[in-house]
Amino acid sequence: MKIKVFIVDDQTLVRGGIRSLLSLSDQIEVVGEAADGKQAISEIRRIEPDTVLMDIRMPVMNGIETVGELMKSSDSSSIPIIMLTTFDDHELVIQALRAGAKGYLLKDVSLETLVDAIVKVHNGDTLIQPGITERVLKGLEGKKTQFDSFRQPEDMSEKEIEILRLMAAGCSNKEISLAMFKSEGTVKNQVSNVLAKLGVRDRTRAVLKAIELGII
């Protein structure tokens, strides 16, 4: 069964380009599109796609506001959202991830990278593209953290920190298991422990908190 994708971008050419690119994949089906966040919210709730590709900068309602609104609704809060960004949007990327987005990609990614990202978030993984992670890290420098705890959890092991680094690179549990020579089940349990120790509910927030606390 194909993964149903909804595209949100205010530029018609960008939407058309992404749609054309995804039509080359036998794993993806584009089921709708919108030119702004307000239009996207009603359409996403009506269509209920599997994944959303959303631009950050849009008129009427931007991507960050749109993610926040979608996360408030039980009908749409479980739909994973990938933010589409440029190299200059690192501060907005951070805000979008905090609002509930599951990852981000540059708009000029290859078909292989785009499809892989959609499949990953559809399967419950977090996607943080290595090519712009450095920009996000720089965007966090000197900024006040949103978290209550400023200290590294005392019982965070070196292996758990390594798992956090791999999570920050966008690795799935399977990829982490291969990198660390552990079973996928063991890695899944360790990821759950990492989330619990950091006091967050998903991988994206775990990476953000780890970055802000200087753990990775």
Side-chain angles (χ1 to χ4, degrees):
M1 185 178 293
K2 292 186 176 182
I3 300 172
K4 298 181 294 182
V5 174
F6 192 94
I7 303 168
V8 189
D9 196 293
D10 64 308
Q11 297 184 44
T12 304
L13 286 176
V14 173
R15 294 198 310 274
I18 294 172
R19 179 185 283 272
S20 297
L21 194 63
L22 291 177
S23 69
L24 301 175
S25 171
D26 58 4
Q27 300 181 71
I28 308 295
E29 177 187 4
V30 177
V31 294
E33 58 183 67
D36 62 66
K38 187 175 182 179
Q39 179 188 2
I41 289 173
S42 60
E43 286 296 291
I44 288 170
R45 287 173 176 167
R46 180 179 67 84
I47 296 173
E48 296 185 352
D50 297 318
T51 304
V52 175
L53 299 175
M54 186 176 304
D55 187 20
I56 291 183
R57 298 178 183 271
M58 295 184 294
V60 184
M61 180 181 287
N62 65 37
I64 299 165
E65 295 168 334
T66 306
V67 171
E69 284 300 312
L70 289 171
M71 292 302 107
K72 293 177 182 178
S73 170
S74 58
D75 295 332
S76 54
S77 61
S78 62
I79 299 173
I81 300 171
I82 299 174
M83 307 307 295
L84 300 175
T85 181
T86 68
F87 272 112
D88 296 326
D89 280 340
H90 54 272
E91 291 187 14
L92 297 180
V93 165
I94 296 166
Q95 294 175 38
L97 292 174
R98 286 173 174 164
K102 293 300 181 184
Y104 55 85
L105 285 173
L106 292 173
K107 287 186 176 181
D108 61 353
V109 294
S110 66
L111 173 62
E112 181 181 3
T113 300
L114 183 57
V115 171
D116 181 61
I118 292 169
V119 171
K120 278 187 174 181
V121 299
H122 177 62
N123 290 335
D125 290 325
T126 298
L127 180 91
I128 300 180
Q129 190 179 359
I132 49 178
T133 298
E134 183 179 353
R135 289 279 182 150
V136 174
L137 290 173
K138 288 182 178 178
L140 284 168
E141 291 178 1
K143 294 191 177 296
K144 184 178 180 181
T145 179
Q146 70 167 24
F147 301 108
D148 295 331
S149 172
F150 286 83
R151 293 182 298 176
Q152 176 178 334
E154 293 180 2
D155 58 348
M156 184 73 72
S157 70
E158 286 299 320
K159 288 183 179 180
E160 288 169 335
I161 292 173
E162 181 61 25
I163 286 176
L164 271 169
R165 292 193 182 102
L166 291 168
M167 286 166 57
C171 294
S172 64
N173 285 350
K174 183 176 181 179
E175 290 168 332
I176 294 173
S177 71
L178 292 172
M180 300 188 70
F181 304 102
K182 294 178 178 291
S183 71
E184 194 169 344
T186 297
V187 168
K188 184 177 180 180
N189 289 336
Q190 289 180 322
V191 168
S192 295
N193 289 339
V194 167
L195 300 186
K197 287 181 179 181
L198 289 171
V200 295
R201 67 175 184 266
D202 60 45
R203 293 163 65 109
T204 303
R205 286 173 174 78
V207 171
L208 280 174
K209 185 167 184 178
I211 290 171
E212 293 193 358
L213 300 182
I215 298 174
I216 59 174

